[in-house]
């Protein structure tokens, strides 16, 4: 595939995250416009509500864009997903007969406020990065050997949808209960080991019935799109609480997603296989398609007052051991109902080399080997005022399918009890 040309000039650049090939879905507002669904195209956004009201963008029997979230499009089903993408491509393509009508429905992306692109029904986080799991084993248990179940099950835990926020939302350092290894008793206060996790988020677009399992291929068809996901983690809170039931408060205070849902359709040309299996997976976990994607990822860190961010890690989504479709299949296999708007975190994405580690825990080896930023400052974990940015893009021939930045800044812990 090569760059598809649009009459929106800024979309015809090899540098833009949002060429005509991409068409990601977000929700935006301006001083004059209420929050509404929009499609990013180059430096602009097509106002879907205006386009629908004008009769330019009608692909279903009922209005899809009378609400400021994408769940109604998802729930309308994959036929609508395909029709919508085809119609948007036709409207925005170079030479389109709709150019004159659509021109007035474009809003400059710069300066708009971006909102959550969908209502997150529930949030589940997985642990499917092999290098990450091995690193965490080496750091926490003194051995990189994987848990006995890891090569057979996509391990996950049920997280909180209530604290999933859109890029640009500040995150307060969480308070919580911790216990230092040499302390006799636990104590309460702000986390001292605040971390990030570089992940992809898969957005489920179709619901399933309670009690009804699905195949991996059905799961693949159910995934509406992907976002970048930062699973903020308080390692000291997590370390004290996690046995025997897994993460709880250490993960519940914030999860940031990038503002644009990049559709599975836009990523289709970038499918990548899961790696060779150490053990053959049980048959229910077998699908017919390559379930990962070749998406280059980067983590940047910018301390308060620094002129620019430092790139601290680069890796690729194709490093994962389990795909989102395999995770979704496993999630539903016992009969758990899945809902349109469910968000699945991939698990931290780390490659083999240290420069590819997707968390500060790994990059600084639990704070024992602090790394240096371009400003000369060093870091083991996050300091107040640090801004973390995740970036990602699938690279085509002269174009890319980008996600837009996934940004969050750490604010000091809140004072509690309030004074
Ligand atoms: Mn995670």
């Amino acid at each position: 595939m090569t760059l598809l040309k649009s009459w929106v000039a800024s979309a015809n650049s090899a540098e833009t995250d949002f060429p005509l090939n991409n068409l990601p879905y977000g929700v935006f507002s301006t001083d004059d416009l209420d929050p509404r669904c929009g499609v990013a195209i180059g430096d602009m956004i097509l106002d879907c509500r205006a386009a629908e009201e004008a009769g330019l963008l009608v692909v279903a029997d009922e209005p899809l864009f009378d609400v400021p979230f994408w769940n109604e499009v998802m729930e309308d089903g994959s036929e609508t997903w395909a029709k919508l993408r085809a119609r948007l491509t036709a409207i925005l393509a170079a030479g389109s007969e709709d150019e004159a009508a659509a021109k007035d429905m474009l809003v400059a992306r710069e300066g708009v406020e971006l909102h959550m692109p969908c209502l997150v029904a529930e949030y589940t986080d997985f642990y499917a990065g092999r290098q990450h799991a091995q690193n965490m084993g080496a750091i926490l248990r003194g051995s990189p050997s994987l848990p006995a179940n890891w090569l057979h099950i996509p391990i996950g835990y049920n997280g909180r949808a209530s604290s999933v926020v859109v890029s640009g939302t500040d995150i307060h350092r969480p308070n919580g209960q911790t216990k230092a290894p040499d302390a006799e008793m636990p104590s309460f206060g702000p986390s001292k080991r605040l971390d990030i996790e570089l992940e992809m988020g898969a957005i489920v677009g179709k619901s399933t019935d309670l009690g009804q399992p699905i195949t991996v291929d059905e799961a693949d068809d159910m995934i509406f799109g992907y976002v970048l996901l930062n699973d903020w983690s308080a390692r000291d809170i997590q370390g004290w609480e996690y046995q025997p039931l897994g993460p709880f408060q250490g993960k519940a205070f914030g999860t940031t997603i990038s503002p644009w849902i990049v559709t599975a359709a836009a990523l289709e040309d970038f499918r990548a296989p899961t790696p060779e299996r150490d053990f053959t997976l049980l048959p229910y976990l077998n699908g017919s398609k390559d379930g990962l994607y070749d998406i280059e990822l980067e983590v940047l860190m910018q301390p308060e007052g620094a002129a620019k961010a430092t790139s601290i890690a680069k890796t690729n989504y194709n490093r994962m051991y389990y795909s989102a479709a395999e995770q979704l299949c496993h999630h539903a296999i016992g009969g758990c109902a899945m809902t349109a708007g469910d968000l699945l975190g991939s698990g931290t994405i780390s490659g083999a080399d240290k420069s590819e580690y997707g968390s500060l825990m790994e990059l600084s080896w639990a704070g024992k080997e602090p790394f240096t930023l371009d400003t000369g400052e060093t870091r083991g974990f996050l300091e107040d005022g640090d801004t973390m940015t995740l970036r990602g893009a699938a690279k085509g021939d002269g174009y890319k399918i980008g996600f837009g930045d996934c940004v969050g800044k750490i604010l000091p812990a809140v004072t509690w009890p309030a004074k």
Side-chain angles (χ1 to χ4, degrees):
M1 178 83 85
T2 53
L3 175 79
L4 300 175
K5 286 278 174 63
S6 169
W7 52 264
V8 180
S10 57
N12 299 327
S13 149
E15 302 309 314
T16 183
D17 271 351
F18 309 126
L20 184 60
N21 308 60
N22 192 346
L23 301 177
Y25 301 152
V27 171
F28 73 101
S29 64
T30 69
D31 290 345
D32 301 325
L33 301 173
D34 294 340
R36 59 194 55 214
C37 291
V39 175
I41 178 78
D43 294 341
M44 310 300 281
I45 299 170
L46 178 70
D47 180 340
C48 292
R49 188 159 104 192
E52 184 176 67
E53 283 170 1
L56 194 66
L57 187 61
V58 178
V59 295
D61 299 335
E62 300 291 320
L64 297 173
F65 300 115
D66 53 347
V67 290
F69 41 80
W70 283 82
N71 300 63
E72 292 206 347
V73 171
M74 293 183 210
E75 286 163 9
D76 220 51
S78 50
E79 216 173 292
T80 294
W81 307 355
K83 273 192 206 164
L84 177 64
R85 183 168 170 79
R87 181 70 193 119
L88 287 166
T89 304
I91 292 171
L92 293 165
S96 168
E97 59 189 26
D98 300 312
E99 176 177 346
K103 229 173 201 153
D104 293 340
M105 296 162 189
L106 291 181
V107 176
R109 209 153 42 75
E110 194 171 305
V112 305
E113 187 177 348
L114 293 168
H115 305 270
M116 284 291 290
C118 64
L119 305 175
V120 176
E122 300 194 58
Y123 165 50
T124 307
D125 193 34
F126 286 87
Y127 190 54
R130 183 171 190 164
Q131 186 66 45
H132 172 72
Q134 289 174 338
N135 287 344
M136 295 305 264
I139 292 167
L140 298 174
R141 294 181 292 280
S143 164
S145 55
L146 295 163
N149 54 6
W150 200 93
L151 293 164
H152 303 276
I153 291 178
I155 296 174
Y157 65 93
N158 289 301
R160 291 290 299 174
S162 65
S163 47
V164 178
V165 296
V166 73
S167 174
T169 308
D170 294 336
I171 302 285
H172 280 283
R173 178 179 299 274
N175 287 304
Q177 187 179 138
T178 61
K179 192 181 92 59
D182 54 353
E184 205 170 305
M185 297 294 281
S187 56
F188 177 84
S191 167
K192 295 186 182 76
R193 293 185 149 214
L194 190 53
D195 199 354
I196 60 141
E197 290 189 339
L198 167 63
E199 304 194 22
M200 295 297 302
I203 293 173
V204 178
K206 280 180 211 168
S207 302
T208 65
D209 295 329
L210 183 65
Q212 183 59 53
I214 52 173
T215 66
V216 173
D217 283 353
E218 286 168 339
D220 194 277
D221 289 342
M222 283 170 57
I223 296 172
F224 183 65
Y226 291 83
V227 291
L228 304 174
L229 184 148
N230 183 350
D231 176 26
W232 302 95
S233 300
R235 301 296 180 193
D236 43 0
I237 296 172
Q238 186 184 353
W240 172 230
E241 74 182 2
Y242 85 106
Q243 287 174 330
L245 286 184
F248 189 45
Q249 293 306 297
K251 300 279 196 173
F253 58 94
T255 304
T256 305
I257 63 169
S258 53
W260 299 100
I261 301 172
V262 174
T263 61
L267 291 167
E268 184 61 31
D269 289 346
F270 301 93
R271 284 185 178 268
T274 47
E276 190 122 341
R277 307 300 184 176
D278 291 37
F279 299 98
T280 305
L281 294 177
L282 289 170
Y284 81 93
L285 282 171
N286 290 331
S288 65
K289 289 183 188 168
D290 290 342
L292 296 176
Y293 296 92
D294 180 359
I295 299 170
E296 295 179 20
L297 300 164
E298 184 176 20
V299 182
L300 300 106
M301 185 174 206
Q302 186 165 13
E304 186 94 80
K308 67 186 254 307
T310 301
S311 175
I312 60 170
K314 284 183 182 176
T315 186
N316 193 302
Y317 180 49
N318 65 18
R319 304 284 194 269
M320 301 308 274
Y321 196 81
Y322 294 103
S323 68
E326 289 163 351
Q327 291 169 332
L328 178 53
C329 164
H330 181 71
H331 206 318
I333 205 67
C336 175
M338 304 305 296
T339 308
D342 277 352
L343 174 65
L344 309 185
S346 60
T348 309
I349 305 164
S350 292
D353 190 76
K354 193 172 175 177
S355 64
E356 292 185 79
Y357 291 174
S359 71
L360 307 188
M361 183 79 163
E362 295 165 87
L363 288 166
S364 73
W365 214 252
K368 288 197 212 95
E369 299 167 19
F371 54 90
T372 305
L373 303 175
D374 294 346
T375 57
E377 292 168 80
T378 60
R379 284 290 185 279
F381 292 96
L382 292 166
E383 304 276 340
D384 291 348
D386 285 348
T387 296
M388 300 303 295
T389 300
L390 310 182
R391 284 191 188 140
K395 304 274 176 71
D397 181 10
Y399 73 100
K400 60 181 177 177
I401 303 292
F403 284 76
D405 288 357
C406 177
V407 185
K409 180 179 178 178
I410 296 301
L411 300 184
V414 297
T415 305
W416 186 91
K419 290 203 174 80

